[in-house]
Amino acid sequence: MKVVDFMTLGQRIKQERIKQGISMNKLAKSVGIAQSGLSDLEAGKRQVSFETAIKLIEALGFKPNEFFSNKQPAQSPEIIQLIKSVEKLTPEQIEQLTKFIDSMTEK
């Protein structure tokens, strides 16, 4: 008999947040909620609206269907975080970063 691992939304968000190395404060700010609200959600003391839940899931780099499935996302959390960081760069900064990465990977 297979045992089903059930997690609340808050537990799952906490698991992914920690796995990706994102602080509670950073995640809360990115979706426009108080850190105390996120803390209460992760502890199972509070529920959030559907809209806020979707914002949290997307801020962690998931599509909602990926987040609730047992399958891993197409990209690793590290790659997702890199993509989010790169999206904030100017085209010139992206060009410099690309050159830097190329120099690191040359053999």
Side-chain angles (χ1 to χ4, degrees):
M1 182 169 138
K2 186 175 179 182
V3 176
V4 176
D5 183 24
F6 174 77
M7 281 192 202
T8 66
L9 174 65
Q11 289 170 327
R12 180 89 166 91
I13 287 172
K14 180 178 182 178
Q15 177 188 51
E16 286 301 327
R17 179 182 61 74
I18 291 170
K19 185 176 178 183
Q20 294 182 35
I22 300 171
S23 73
M24 192 178 291
N25 188 44
K26 182 176 179 180
L27 180 59
K29 281 185 178 182
S30 75
V31 298
I33 62 173
Q35 181 178 335
S36 61
L38 179 56
S39 177
D40 287 347
L41 171 67
E42 289 184 354
K45 298 177 184 176
R46 167 184 269 195
Q47 294 181 355
V48 293
S49 69
F50 179 77
E51 291 80 15
T52 300
I54 296 300
K55 286 180 184 179
L56 286 164
I57 290 165
E58 290 176 345
L60 290 168
F62 290 90
K63 293 178 182 173
N65 62 327
E66 291 173 336
F67 188 79
F68 293 108
S69 77
N70 289 329
K71 296 178 184 175
Q72 293 293 332
Q75 300 288 337
S76 70
E78 296 84 5
I79 298 297
I80 292 167
Q81 191 61 42
L82 282 171
I83 291 168
K84 286 180 184 179
S85 296
V86 170
E87 288 173 342
K88 298 174 187 173
L89 300 177
T90 66
E92 293 81 19
Q93 291 171 320
I94 292 172
E95 184 178 341
Q96 290 175 352
L97 180 60
T98 301
K99 288 178 183 177
F100 174 72
I101 292 170
D102 288 346
S103 72
M104 290 179 63
T105 57
E106 289 177 358
K107 293 185 178 182

